[in-house]
């Protein structure tokens, strides 16, 4: 693949959204490494408006037309989860590299199907688990690997999912309260976080979970209409990682009056604390403190020395996405770098399925017992 990767985005809107607020500024911050050469909208009118708003010359409402353009090497899928399967199929059928936002599919079976389809066609595939690309979270992994805390004994996370699951939402967030969409607090903020924890430490070997809807009626503002929520606004999971580390997570809908993300990693020689203002670890907006040996209190850890060479402020939602695209470019053009793939997504979907089964059946669930085949 040439040094400049031609990109087609599915889901870039003139009215904002994740593609406009994160993907587009991230891609353009990387200069000549990427060029956005086309977009696909939900209708001809929506595609035309987005093309004009974002200065993208080619636009269409047909994902197959976009994917088959010879000047496009990478298809980016940044739409609602129920549409991921069909749009990813279109990119794969055209033989194009594909970057699909997380969750990869609406459930484990869809994720397995897409991973197998991409593998069978030999298509480069990547998933938007961008928390792994945040410099401060890469630093956490490196510190654990270097033995900063010694042997890890336990890890604990208490976090808040935010407004969509806090009893009040905007019209754009209504679908996040519907468990059938596959876009819930369990799959999105918890899913991003648990993927990062398994990547930084080790994978879960078993889980015991409670999922609850404690706010069954959600107010839609403005207007005050109420909808019935079926997606859990309380996610409590505990279990063991593969090397015996005891893990406990609690994600709550809404926001607390204090820090909204707290993660402790306790070892026999030290500890690390990761704190932030929201439970969406994929934004990378956290601070890192640590202590080891005889130290009595926590101290801020030095800034990581592998910051990227682009101008995106860490406070922007585009920051971790830009870091992910930098790594992806190295993978596409030089076959180096660590970028999450569809196979990584399947592993996280497998864990989420184990959590759902545990909560439904009221028992501890071995993650490896979750089936990894489809009819």
């Amino acid at each position: 693949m040439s040094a400049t990767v031609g990109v087609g985005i599915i889901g870039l809107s003139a009215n904002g959204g994740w593609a406009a607020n994160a993907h587009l500024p991230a891609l353009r911050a990387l200069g000549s490494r990427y060029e956005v050469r086309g977009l696909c909208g939900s209708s001809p009118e929506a595609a035309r408006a987005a093309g004009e708003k974002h200065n993208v010359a080619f636009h269409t409402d047909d994902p197959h037309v976009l994917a088959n353009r010879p000047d496009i090497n990478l298809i980016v899928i940044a739409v609602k989860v129920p549409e991921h399967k069909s749009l990813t199929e279109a990119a794969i059928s055209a033989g194009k590299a594909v970057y699909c936002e997380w969750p990869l599919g609406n459930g484990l079976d869809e994720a397995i199907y897409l991973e197998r389809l991409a593998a069978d066609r030999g298509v480069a595939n990547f998933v938007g688990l961008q928390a792994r690309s945040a410099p401060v979270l890469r630093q956490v992994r490196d510190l654990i690997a270097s033995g900063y805390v010694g042997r890890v004994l336990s890890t604990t996370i208490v976090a808040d999912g935010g407004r969509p699951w806090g009893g009040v939402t905007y019209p754009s967030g209504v679908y996040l309260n519907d468990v059938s969409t596959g876009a819930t607090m369990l799959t999105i903020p918890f899913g991003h976080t648990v993927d990062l924890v398994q990547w930084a430490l080790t994978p879960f070997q078993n889980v015991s979970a409670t999922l609850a809807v404690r706010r069954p009626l959600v107010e839609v503002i403005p207007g005050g209409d109420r909808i019935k929520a079926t997606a859990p606004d309380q996610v409590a999971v505990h279990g063991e990682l593969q090397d015996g580390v005891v893990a406990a997570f609690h994600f709550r809908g809404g926001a607390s009056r204090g820090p909204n993300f707290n993660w402790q990693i306790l070892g026999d020689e030290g500890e690390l604390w990761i704190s932030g203002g929201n439970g969406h670890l994929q934004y990378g907006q956290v601070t890192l403190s640590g202590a080891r040996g005889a130290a009595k209190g926590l101290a801020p850890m030095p800034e990581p020395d592998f910051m990227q060479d682009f101008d995106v402020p860490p406070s922007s939602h585009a920051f971790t996405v830009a870091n992910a695209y930098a790594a992806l470019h190295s993978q596409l053009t030089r076959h180096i770098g660590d970028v999450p793939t569809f196979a990584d997504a399947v592993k996280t979907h497998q864990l989420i399925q184990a959590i759902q089964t545990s909560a439904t059946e009221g028992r501890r669930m071995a993650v490896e017992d979750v089936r990894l085949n489809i009819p």
Side-chain angles (χ1 to χ4, degrees):
M1 193 173 291
S2 65
T4 298
V5 175
V7 179
I9 303 180
I10 302 177
L12 183 59
S13 171
N15 300 317
W18 185 245
N21 295 330
H23 283 273
L24 186 63
L27 287 163
R28 288 181 166 166
L30 292 168
S32 63
R33 281 175 273 190
Y34 292 97
E35 183 179 4
V36 178
R37 293 173 178 166
L39 65 85
C40 180
S42 58
S43 68
E45 295 75 20
R48 185 180 307 111
E52 293 173 355
K53 173 71 176 290
H54 301 297
N55 193 28
V56 178
F58 179 79
H59 49 80
T60 179
D61 65 335
D62 188 333
H64 295 277
V65 170
L66 181 72
N68 281 286
R69 282 184 63 89
D71 62 337
I72 289 178
N73 315 112
L74 173 68
I75 298 295
V76 173
I77 297 169
V79 296
K80 292 181 179 180
V81 178
E83 300 175 58
H84 284 188
K85 179 175 179 285
S86 62
L87 296 174
T88 302
E89 285 178 314
I92 293 172
S93 68
K96 299 299 174 69
V98 57
Y99 181 126
C100 182
E101 263 299 346
W102 169 262
L104 175 58
N106 188 350
L108 176 61
D109 285 355
E110 284 193 6
I112 293 171
Y113 168 77
L114 292 173
E115 191 274 331
R116 291 181 175 176
L117 184 64
D120 290 345
R121 301 292 178 85
V123 169
N125 54 88
F126 310 96
V127 69
L129 290 166
Q130 65 268 17
R132 300 190 189 191
S133 299
V136 67
L137 298 173
R138 288 173 58 196
Q139 185 182 22
V140 170
R141 189 192 196 204
D142 290 350
L143 287 166
I144 296 297
S146 69
Y148 180 86
V149 303
R151 183 170 65 96
V152 179
L153 304 174
S154 66
T155 186
T156 306
I157 292 179
V158 178
D160 298 322
R163 180 187 295 276
W165 304 287
V168 179
T169 190
Y170 295 112
S172 60
V174 166
Y175 81 106
L176 298 168
N177 286 280
D178 180 353
V179 72
S180 70
T181 66
T184 66
M185 188 171 71
L186 174 63
T187 63
I188 299 176
F190 178 87
H192 277 286
T193 300
V194 79
D195 175 81
L196 187 283
V197 171
Q198 294 192 113
W199 177 75
L201 300 175
T202 58
F204 271 90
Q205 61 178 347
N206 59 67
V207 292
S208 183
T210 299
L211 305 177
V213 180
R214 298 291 292 156
R215 294 183 173 97
L217 293 179
V218 176
E219 181 183 359
V220 182
I221 56 174
D225 292 340
R226 291 181 177 271
I227 61 167
K228 183 178 179 180
T230 57
D233 54 64
Q234 300 291 318
V235 173
V237 177
H238 67 86
E240 291 178 292
L241 306 187
Q242 285 185 358
D243 56 2
V245 175
V246 175
F249 292 34
H250 186 190
F251 270 67
R252 303 88 56 91
S256 72
R257 293 167 178 80
N260 282 263
F261 185 86
N262 292 282
W263 176 18
Q264 181 190 26
I265 302 169
L266 179 65
D268 59 5
E269 297 180 12
E271 59 186 290
L272 292 170
W273 281 80
I274 301 94
S275 301
N278 65 73
H280 291 260
L281 191 60
Q282 68 271 24
Y283 299 158
Q285 296 168 353
V286 292
T287 59
L288 173 61
S289 300
R292 61 186 314 215
K296 298 298 184 182
L298 297 168
M301 301 298 292
E303 286 286 324
D305 59 3
F306 38 76
M307 301 293 285
Q308 292 288 347
D309 57 342
F310 49 75
D311 186 18
V312 179
S315 60
S316 167
H317 287 170
F319 181 70
T320 52
V321 179
N323 278 275
Y325 274 120
L328 195 156
H329 185 271
S330 295
Q331 181 63 45
L332 287 173
T333 60
R334 295 185 288 158
H335 305 291
I336 61 173
D338 180 13
V339 185
T341 65
F342 286 9
D344 294 303
V346 166
K347 293 176 183 177
T348 302
H349 274 287
Q350 181 186 13
L351 174 60
I352 289 173
Q353 181 62 59
I355 290 167
Q356 292 171 321
T357 301
S358 172
T360 300
E361 299 182 1
R363 65 182 178 93
R364 182 177 292 268
M365 182 74 182
V367 178
E368 65 178 12
D369 287 348
V370 174
R371 65 187 180 91
L372 285 178
N373 52 14
I374 56 176

